[in-house]
Amino acid sequence: MSTDFTGFNELEYKFKADDIKLQDFLALMSTLDVTKKKDVSSWDHYLTNSNEDEFLRYRESNEPELTIKRKVNKNNNWDRIEVDLPLDSNRVNIATVSKFAELLGYTNRKSIYKTCCIYWMDYINFVYYIVYDVNMIEKGRFIEVEINKDKLDKEIVLVDTHLKKGLEILSKLGLTPQNRLKKSLYEIFVK
């Protein structure tokens, strides 16, 4: 069995942003050389098995996907293996995904709703998002800087340089590498 996950990494830093106003984030993004912008909201359904460190995430949106993520190192959350399986939006729903996952030993555990503002540059993207529970009660605000997946096969020096550039940009909002989160949304809201 192959264990080469080249091209399926996720490199991101996540920060708690409850004290950062959306308008301040948007103002910062307006100063950057952004190549693409997207506002999106969707349900994320988390399905778990008996191993609490493993989960599937079904993103119920106009471009649905089933994702599996695994940490590369138990002590950090910024470098993970992430495989997104695109699904047919005309033929998939949470009932089908839940039944499919049940046959693999997973059960539907918890759902959250996210509203996101995403800004892409050449190598990195920034996301400001708000997480809600099933009753649409706000549970937290977050900001991420992530290496664009199509750039992950580039030299690690370039990846490191651009991630540091992203951190430098976010420092204008008072965010520093020292206060990045070590937990994923799964660990914060589900586990």
Side-chain angles (χ1 to χ4, degrees):
M1 183 167 104
S2 173
T3 56
D4 180 11
F5 291 103
T6 305
F8 292 101
N9 284 76
E10 173 187 51
L11 295 176
E12 72 177 17
Y13 289 144
K14 182 188 314 292
F15 299 88
K16 194 81 166 121
D18 290 337
D19 296 331
I20 298 173
K21 295 177 181 153
L22 175 60
Q23 291 304 311
D24 292 341
F25 175 81
L26 298 177
L28 177 60
M29 294 297 107
S30 72
T31 68
L32 303 177
D33 187 19
V34 172
T35 59
K36 185 169 95 172
K37 175 188 179 293
K38 184 175 186 179
D39 293 332
V40 64
S41 297
S42 67
W43 287 102
D44 281 354
H45 305 281
Y46 290 90
L47 302 106
T48 60
N49 64 17
S50 59
N51 180 350
E52 291 263 327
D53 290 328
E54 293 184 14
F55 68 94
L56 299 172
R57 180 192 67 207
Y58 167 53
R59 177 154 291 152
E60 187 177 8
S61 69
N62 62 342
E63 295 177 6
E65 61 189 16
L66 187 62
T67 301
I68 188 164
K69 296 185 183 196
R70 296 257 167 85
K71 286 187 176 189
V72 173
N73 176 331
K74 285 192 180 263
N75 295 324
N76 89 47
N77 199 52
W78 79 277
D79 182 3
R80 299 184 287 187
I81 296 165
E82 177 180 86
V83 180
D84 296 320
L85 182 64
L87 302 173
D88 182 346
S89 62
N90 295 318
R91 300 183 329 164
V92 72
N93 57 45
I94 186 60
T96 303
V97 170
S98 294
K99 190 50 86 175
F100 178 86
E102 185 180 313
L103 292 173
L104 298 173
Y106 290 80
T107 56
N108 200 345
R109 175 91 175 268
K110 191 167 190 175
S111 299
I112 60 173
Y113 192 79
K114 287 172 47 181
T115 298
C116 308
C117 299
I118 310 166
Y119 291 81
W120 284 270
M121 296 174 66
D122 285 335
Y123 268 83
I124 55 178
N125 66 74
F126 296 94
V127 185
Y128 183 105
Y129 58 92
I130 304 170
V131 174
Y132 302 90
D133 67 13
V134 294
N135 294 310
M136 298 306 279
I137 295 171
E138 186 175 318
K139 295 310 219 178
R141 294 174 182 237
F142 301 87
I143 292 176
E144 293 179 1
V145 58
E146 179 178 12
I147 298 294
N148 295 334
K149 288 182 182 177
D150 64 340
K151 302 297 185 184
L152 285 172
D153 59 350
K154 306 296 181 200
E155 292 182 40
I156 193 68
V157 173
L158 289 176
V159 168
D160 189 52
T161 299
H162 288 283
L163 199 52
K164 284 181 181 173
K165 179 182 177 181
L167 291 172
E168 183 181 309
I169 290 167
L170 290 180
S171 71
K172 295 173 184 174
L173 294 172
L175 301 173
T176 66
Q178 293 76 22
N179 62 7
R180 70 178 187 235
L181 292 174
K182 293 190 175 18
K183 292 184 176 183
S184 67
L185 291 184
Y186 166 75
E187 292 167 313
I188 294 168
F189 294 110
V190 181
K191 191 173 176 182

